[in-house]
Amino acid sequence: MQNSLPRLNLSTTHKQMGKKVAQQIAKLVTDKPDAVIGLATGSTPDPMYKELIRMHKENGLDFSRVRFFNLDEYVGLPYDRPQSYHYEMREKFFKHINAKPENIHIPDGMAEDLQAACADYEKAIRDAGGIDLQILGIGETGHIGFNEPGTPFDAITHISRLSEKTRADNARFFGGDKNKVPTQAITMGLKTITAAKQIILMANGEHKGNIVREAMTTTPNQEVPASILQQVADKVTFFLDRAAAKHFKPYQQLFSVR
Ligand code: PGA
């Protein structure tokens, strides 16, 4: 099994990082109009979505045949609630482009049978031919999707229990009240994510610096879920802004990040 370092792409600002990732997506969509793209929520991808919307409106970037699969969704949070990822994705991205509703997939955290919803989601990804490009953020726990520390590397789409740290981090989207953050989510598993043909992990801000360094340099282990990306490093690029790369000494020298 391969263990090397993912590629790095450094930007000065969060906004510039988002634009560069949007360009990667635009290139894929131009080369393969029915590409399968895995998407992420949270604040990290905001500038990327803004740029993709601009490219759609100003340059006619066509999403009509693109198939989208989101990483995760809270369990038990109705889709008309602004904190749900169904709502967030619609408002932030899908309603501004020409994606077809039947091509948009987000795990069903309101399903009566959550296990069946997980199995259906995994199958839908497989039936689509697998993910061509997966976009990831990273949590300060090292989670990708909602795969928290301790998640087995061979997990497929499953119900995860959110760590207390993640609930505290996401309380900012719930009026600052951690108790309002759901305790569970449906998430693509680490095996689902690493099966993607290409993977881009984005991180911005100094608060992500330590976990990014760990994810890239610690021996892959379940306590740092994102460290699994080293095992598929040949298809992974970390897009970082200067602040997130701050603690990254070897790369600071390589890329003159101050
Ligand atoms: P953030 O979340 O983009 O809001 O920082 C990232 C994550 O938790 O994966």
Side-chain angles (χ1 to χ4, degrees):
M1 190 167 293
Q2 177 194 0
N3 264 339
S4 57
L5 283 185
R7 282 182 299 276
L8 262 191
N9 186 309
L10 296 184
S11 300
T12 312
T13 64
H14 184 193
K15 191 169 166 189
Q16 188 190 32
M17 177 185 90
K19 282 190 171 185
K20 284 203 252 174
V21 176
Q23 280 159 12
Q24 300 285 315
I25 292 178
K27 183 176 181 322
L28 171 64
V29 170
T30 305
D31 290 349
K32 185 178 180 187
D34 65 344
V36 180
I37 301 180
L39 292 177
T41 48
S43 51
T44 304
D46 282 352
M48 176 195 87
Y49 288 127
K50 285 205 177 84
E51 178 66 4
L52 287 172
I53 292 165
R54 189 197 66 74
M55 287 171 157
H56 170 67
K57 295 203 154 118
E58 293 179 16
N59 310 340
L61 184 62
D62 180 15
F63 293 100
S64 62
R65 294 174 58 202
V66 177
R67 278 97 35 94
F68 295 103
F69 285 87
N70 261 78
L71 279 167
D72 45 22
E73 176 59 286
Y74 291 114
V75 165
L77 194 63
Y79 301 156
D80 58 356
R81 299 275 291 279
Q83 297 87 357
S84 83
Y85 292 157
H86 279 75
Y87 187 102
E88 177 179 331
M89 288 304 299
R90 184 175 65 240
E91 293 302 310
K92 210 183 253 186
F93 188 45
F94 292 132
K95 80 173 190 187
H96 304 286
I97 61 165
N98 63 335
K100 294 231 170 71
E102 63 269 29
N103 288 340
I104 296 172
H105 306 269
I106 303 177
D108 186 3
M110 293 298 290
E112 261 177 45
D113 185 342
L114 292 167
Q115 299 290 355
C118 292
D120 289 350
Y121 203 69
E122 192 72 23
K123 181 173 183 308
I125 294 171
R126 220 176 27 246
D127 290 350
I131 293 171
D132 290 306
L133 172 63
Q134 177 65 54
I135 303 296
L136 301 172
I138 183 170
E140 286 180 64
T141 62
H143 72 207
I144 48 178
F146 272 133
N147 293 282
E148 296 285 20
T151 306
F153 277 4
D154 62 357
I156 58 171
T157 302
H158 64 284
I159 301 161
S160 73
R161 179 157 289 281
L162 304 193
S163 70
E164 291 308 302
K165 167 73 176 140
T166 294
R167 291 181 73 221
D169 287 347
N170 287 4
R172 69 191 196 278
F173 301 117
F174 290 80
D177 185 353
K178 177 182 151 189
N179 293 320
K180 293 205 174 115
V181 182
T183 55
Q184 290 184 305
I186 293 183
T187 183
M188 284 186 202
L190 294 170
K191 189 172 171 189
T192 323
I193 291 170
T194 51
K197 294 171 191 114
Q198 292 293 325
I199 298 171
I200 287 177
L201 182 144
M202 285 190 280
N204 64 283
E206 212 173 323
H207 61 301
K208 296 284 175 76
N210 280 326
I211 194 62
V212 164
R213 185 191 53 203
E214 258 198 275
M216 284 193 92
T217 58
T218 192
T219 303
N221 73 90
Q222 291 181 11
E223 291 315 305
V224 184
S227 66
I228 193 176
L229 297 173
Q230 292 176 45
Q231 295 184 344
V232 290
D234 58 326
K235 55 183 181 180
V236 179
T237 309
F238 277 47
F239 280 73
L240 308 177
D241 77 346
R242 182 169 289 200
K246 197 170 169 182
H247 301 298
F248 223 138
K249 292 233 171 57
Y251 285 98
Q252 277 180 11
Q253 285 150 16
L254 265 178
F255 291 87
S256 315
V257 176
R258 276 184 289 276

